[in-house]
Amino acid sequence: MESSSSNTHAGLNKRPKLEDAEDKFPRPGVGVGVFVTSQSIPSAYYLGREKIVLDQDSMPCQVAILNLESWEECGRRETMEETGLKLKEVSFAHVNNAVNRPTKYHYVTIFMKGEVDSSYKEEPENTEPDKCEGWQWTKWEDIPSPEKLFWSLRFTLAEGFNLFKP
Protein backbone atom coordinates (compact mmCIF):
# COMPACT_ATOMS: atom_id res chain seq x y z
CA MET A 1 0.00 0.00 0.00
CA GLU A 2 1.37 3.43 -0.97
CA SER A 3 1.56 6.15 1.59
CA SER A 4 -0.79 9.08 1.23
CA SER A 5 2.12 11.48 0.76
CA SER A 6 3.33 9.65 -2.35
CA ASN A 7 -0.21 9.71 -3.80
CA THR A 8 -0.55 13.41 -3.03
CA HIS A 9 2.58 14.32 -4.96
CA ALA A 10 2.48 11.72 -7.72
CA GLY A 11 1.15 14.10 -10.39
CA LEU A 12 3.61 16.93 -9.75
CA ASN A 13 6.29 15.51 -12.03
CA LYS A 14 3.83 15.45 -14.95
CA ARG A 15 3.43 19.25 -15.05
CA PRO A 16 4.99 20.99 -18.07
CA LYS A 17 8.35 22.58 -17.53
CA LEU A 18 8.18 26.34 -17.02
CA GLU A 19 10.45 27.11 -19.99
CA ASP A 20 8.15 25.03 -22.27
CA ALA A 21 5.05 26.81 -21.01
CA GLU A 22 6.52 30.28 -21.55
CA ASP A 23 6.97 29.64 -25.29
CA LYS A 24 3.27 28.91 -25.69
CA PHE A 25 1.78 31.03 -22.91
CA PRO A 26 4.07 33.86 -21.82
CA ARG A 27 3.59 35.03 -18.27
CA PRO A 28 2.10 38.50 -18.08
CA GLY A 29 4.12 41.45 -16.95
CA VAL A 30 2.72 43.49 -14.07
CA GLY A 31 2.97 47.23 -14.49
CA VAL A 32 1.79 50.34 -12.73
CA GLY A 33 0.56 53.28 -14.80
CA VAL A 34 0.04 56.73 -13.31
CA PHE A 35 -2.38 59.40 -14.40
CA VAL A 36 -0.81 62.65 -13.17
CA THR A 37 -3.32 65.46 -12.64
CA SER A 38 -3.23 69.02 -11.32
CA GLN A 39 -5.83 71.23 -9.66
CA SER A 40 -4.62 74.10 -11.84
CA ILE A 41 -5.60 72.28 -15.08
CA PRO A 42 -8.99 70.55 -14.58
CA SER A 43 -9.87 67.40 -16.56
CA ALA A 44 -6.32 66.99 -17.89
CA TYR A 45 -3.39 64.69 -17.20
CA TYR A 46 0.22 64.44 -18.33
CA LEU A 47 0.69 62.36 -21.46
CA GLY A 48 4.12 61.53 -22.82
CA ARG A 49 5.33 60.56 -26.25
CA GLU A 50 7.77 57.70 -26.02
CA LYS A 51 10.38 57.23 -28.72
CA ILE A 52 10.25 53.43 -28.93
CA VAL A 53 7.83 51.08 -27.20
CA LEU A 54 7.26 47.56 -28.48
CA ASP A 55 8.08 48.59 -32.07
CA GLN A 56 5.37 51.24 -32.13
CA ASP A 57 5.22 54.97 -31.55
CA SER A 58 3.01 55.22 -28.49
CA MET A 59 1.74 57.67 -25.96
CA PRO A 60 1.56 56.49 -22.37
CA CYS A 61 1.12 57.97 -18.99
CA GLN A 62 3.99 57.08 -16.64
CA VAL A 63 4.38 53.29 -16.55
CA ALA A 64 6.68 51.17 -14.40
CA ILE A 65 7.29 47.54 -13.64
CA LEU A 66 6.12 46.73 -10.12
CA ASN A 67 9.24 45.86 -8.13
CA LEU A 68 8.92 44.83 -4.46
CA GLU A 69 6.87 47.91 -3.55
CA SER A 70 3.28 49.00 -3.07
CA TRP A 71 1.29 50.31 -6.02
CA GLU A 72 1.39 53.80 -4.51
CA GLU A 73 5.16 53.67 -3.97
CA CYS A 74 5.68 52.47 -7.53
CA GLY A 75 3.52 55.28 -8.91
CA ARG A 76 5.35 57.93 -6.90
CA ARG A 77 8.77 56.51 -7.81
CA GLU A 78 8.08 56.24 -11.52
CA THR A 79 6.58 59.72 -11.74
CA MET A 80 9.61 61.21 -9.99
CA GLU A 81 12.01 59.23 -12.22
CA GLU A 82 10.29 60.14 -15.50
CA THR A 83 9.10 63.70 -14.82
CA GLY A 84 10.81 65.01 -11.68
CA LEU A 85 7.37 65.64 -10.16
CA LYS A 86 6.25 64.73 -6.65
CA LEU A 87 2.73 63.42 -6.23
CA LYS A 88 0.23 63.73 -3.44
CA GLU A 89 -2.97 61.78 -2.90
CA VAL A 90 -1.95 58.74 -4.94
CA SER A 91 -4.81 56.24 -5.19
CA PHE A 92 -6.13 53.36 -7.26
CA ALA A 93 -7.86 54.30 -10.54
CA HIS A 94 -8.29 51.14 -12.67
CA VAL A 95 -6.81 47.75 -13.51
CA ASN A 96 -6.85 45.80 -16.75
CA ASN A 97 -5.57 42.64 -18.33
CA ALA A 98 -4.29 43.70 -21.76
CA VAL A 99 -3.68 40.80 -24.12
CA ASN A 100 -2.67 41.12 -27.75
CA ARG A 101 -2.01 37.59 -28.97
CA PRO A 102 -0.42 38.45 -32.36
CA THR A 103 2.33 40.46 -30.65
CA LYS A 104 2.46 38.24 -27.53
CA TYR A 105 1.82 41.35 -25.44
CA HIS A 106 0.31 40.47 -22.07
CA TYR A 107 0.33 42.94 -19.21
CA VAL A 108 -1.76 43.35 -16.11
CA THR A 109 -1.60 47.09 -15.53
CA ILE A 110 -2.65 48.76 -12.32
CA PHE A 111 -3.48 52.39 -13.02
CA MET A 112 -3.05 54.86 -10.21
CA LYS A 113 -3.91 58.54 -10.13
CA GLY A 114 -2.00 61.22 -8.33
CA GLU A 115 -2.05 64.96 -8.09
CA VAL A 116 1.03 67.10 -8.67
CA ASP A 117 2.44 68.42 -5.39
CA SER A 118 2.63 72.08 -6.42
CA SER A 119 4.61 72.96 -3.28
CA TYR A 120 7.53 71.13 -4.95
CA LYS A 121 7.04 72.09 -8.62
CA GLU A 122 4.24 71.96 -11.18
CA GLU A 123 5.85 71.35 -14.57
CA PRO A 124 7.61 68.15 -15.58
CA GLU A 125 11.15 67.72 -16.84
CA ASN A 126 11.98 65.23 -19.54
CA THR A 127 14.35 63.19 -17.37
CA GLU A 128 14.62 60.33 -19.88
CA PRO A 129 15.18 62.04 -23.26
CA ASP A 130 16.52 58.79 -24.74
CA LYS A 131 13.10 57.19 -24.13
CA CYS A 132 10.62 60.07 -24.16
CA GLU A 133 10.15 63.08 -26.42
CA GLY A 134 8.40 65.02 -23.68
CA TRP A 135 5.28 65.50 -21.57
CA GLN A 136 2.18 67.56 -22.26
CA TRP A 137 -1.06 68.32 -20.48
CA THR A 138 -3.85 66.55 -22.35
CA LYS A 139 -7.55 67.05 -21.77
CA TRP A 140 -9.34 63.74 -21.29
CA GLU A 141 -11.60 64.39 -24.28
CA ASP A 142 -8.49 65.05 -26.44
CA ILE A 143 -6.83 61.67 -25.90
CA PRO A 144 -5.10 60.58 -29.13
CA SER A 145 -6.60 57.84 -31.28
CA PRO A 146 -6.18 54.31 -29.89
CA GLU A 147 -3.49 53.26 -32.36
CA LYS A 148 -1.23 55.97 -30.87
CA LEU A 149 -1.64 54.64 -27.32
CA PHE A 150 0.28 51.85 -25.67
CA TRP A 151 -1.73 48.63 -25.31
CA SER A 152 -2.72 48.88 -21.65
CA LEU A 153 -4.06 52.42 -22.03
CA ARG A 154 -5.80 51.43 -25.25
CA PHE A 155 -7.57 48.55 -23.47
CA THR A 156 -8.44 50.75 -20.48
CA LEU A 157 -10.20 53.28 -22.71
CA ALA A 158 -12.00 50.49 -24.63
CA GLU A 159 -13.35 49.30 -21.27
CA GLY A 160 -15.03 52.71 -20.85
CA PHE A 161 -12.74 54.06 -18.14
CA ASN A 162 -12.81 57.85 -17.63
CA LEU A 163 -10.37 59.28 -15.11
CA PHE A 164 -12.61 62.23 -14.32
CA LYS A 165 -15.93 60.41 -13.85
CA PRO A 166 -16.69 58.24 -10.83
Side-chain angles (χ1 to χ4, degrees):
M1 179 176 203
E2 293 183 23
S3 71
S4 61
S5 64
S6 65
N7 284 337
T8 303
H9 303 292
L12 291 179
N13 292 331
K14 296 179 182 175
R15 295 173 57 196
K17 293 179 182 175
L18 184 57
E19 57 272 10
D20 294 337
E22 286 180 349
D23 288 339
K24 296 175 187 171
F25 306 103
R27 289 178 177 235
V30 177
V32 174
V34 186
F35 292 108
V36 176
T37 62
S38 173
Q39 285 186 340
S40 62
I41 305 175
S43 300
Y45 73 104
Y46 270 124
L47 185 66
R49 178 176 291 280
E50 293 205 345
K51 291 184 176 179
I52 300 173
V53 176
L54 299 172
D55 299 324
Q56 67 182 28
D57 181 29
S58 68
M59 300 182 82
C61 51
Q62 292 75 12
V63 180
I65 303 299
L66 191 61
N67 189 13
L68 298 173
E69 59 200 334
S70 72
W71 300 348
E72 293 85 356
E73 290 168 334
C74 185
R76 281 188 172 94
R77 173 185 56 79
E78 188 64 11
T79 300
M80 176 58 81
E81 287 175 6
E82 291 191 7
T83 67
L85 295 172
K86 284 187 180 180
L87 296 180
K88 60 182 182 178
E89 301 179 27
V90 178
S91 61
F92 174 79
H94 188 75
V95 67
N96 78 13
N97 180 32
V99 177
N100 182 310
R101 291 183 192 279
T103 63
K104 293 189 176 183
Y105 178 92
H106 187 186
Y107 257 83
V108 174
T109 304
I110 302 149
F111 285 95
M112 306 298 286
K113 58 184 174 181
E115 187 178 317
V116 172
D117 181 349
S118 59
S119 69
Y120 181 69
K121 69 178 181 178
E122 288 192 50
E123 293 300 318
E125 302 169 41
N126 186 2
T127 60
E128 297 180 333
D130 56 317
K131 297 179 187 176
C132 181
E133 291 180 8
W135 298 98
Q136 64 189 33
W137 283 111
T138 303
K139 293 280 191 178
W140 191 258
E141 59 271 12
D142 295 333
I143 291 176
S145 60
E147 64 274 0
K148 294 218 179 252
L149 302 173
F150 79 110
W151 286 110
S152 292
L153 186 53
R154 191 182 298 190
F155 278 77
T156 294
L157 295 175
E159 293 166 355
F161 175 77
N162 184 324
L163 179 63
F164 299 100
K165 291 187 180 174

